[in-house]
Amino acid sequence: MSEITFESVTKEQCCTHLRPVRDVMDLLNGKWKIPILVVLHTGSRRFNELKDEIDGISAKMLSKELSELEINELVKREVRDTKPITVEYSITDYGKTLDGVISELSKWGQNHRDRIMK
């Protein structure tokens, strides 16, 4: 899809660009999925490590969000045959395709923070 400019966009063109944006918003909806992906971008984590690094998330919510991210192939769950058994979560190659989006959100967020903190 080509880059969109918003001057003189027809209703049909707007809908064409809106649908995939809504798909992404549905996929990454909520408060926790992007923070989970940001943490996993820096390396694999066990469940409790994720819970400790993401301030305010409950174990139940983390489990739910990891499951949804796994279903959508953004996160991989790996059970290691150790005693006791350990489970690690990591970002998939497909999940890494969101790096640019997350990086741009971070830049925009920092610029916004700087702007409102003046």
Side-chain angles (χ1 to χ4, degrees):
M1 186 178 290
S2 61
E3 189 171 325
I4 185 171
T5 56
F6 292 100
E7 298 84 32
S8 66
V9 173
T10 67
K11 182 177 179 180
E12 183 178 309
Q13 290 169 321
C14 181
C15 288
T16 299
H17 289 286
L18 183 58
R19 281 185 210 112
V21 170
R22 285 192 149 182
D23 291 343
V24 172
M25 290 176 64
D26 288 343
L27 179 65
L28 299 177
N29 71 336
K31 180 177 176 178
W32 302 111
K33 287 188 180 86
I34 290 177
I36 291 167
L37 291 171
V38 168
V39 171
L40 291 177
H41 176 75
T42 64
S44 298
R45 298 288 196 290
R46 292 170 61 182
F47 185 88
N48 284 331
E49 292 172 327
L50 279 167
K51 188 174 173 315
D52 291 344
E53 286 188 55
I54 302 171
D55 191 39
I57 193 167
S58 69
K60 182 178 178 179
M61 182 57 73
L62 178 58
S63 180
K64 174 188 167 295
E65 298 291 66
L66 284 168
S67 178
E68 288 179 19
L69 289 167
E70 189 178 1
I71 287 167
N72 285 290
E73 301 178 358
L74 299 174
V75 166
K76 176 175 67 173
R77 180 181 186 267
E78 190 172 342
V79 179
R80 301 208 186 273
D81 189 21
T82 58
K83 295 210 188 230
I85 291 175
T86 57
V87 178
E88 279 193 354
Y89 295 89
S90 59
I91 195 162
T92 64
D93 287 339
Y94 183 56
K96 289 176 185 174
T97 64
L98 287 168
D99 288 356
V101 173
I102 292 170
S103 176
E104 288 301 315
L105 284 171
S106 177
K107 286 180 201 171
W108 191 91
Q110 187 60 55
N111 288 337
H112 180 66
R113 252 180 196 280
D114 294 344
R115 179 185 176 115
I116 64 171
M117 298 302 264
K118 288 181 181 179

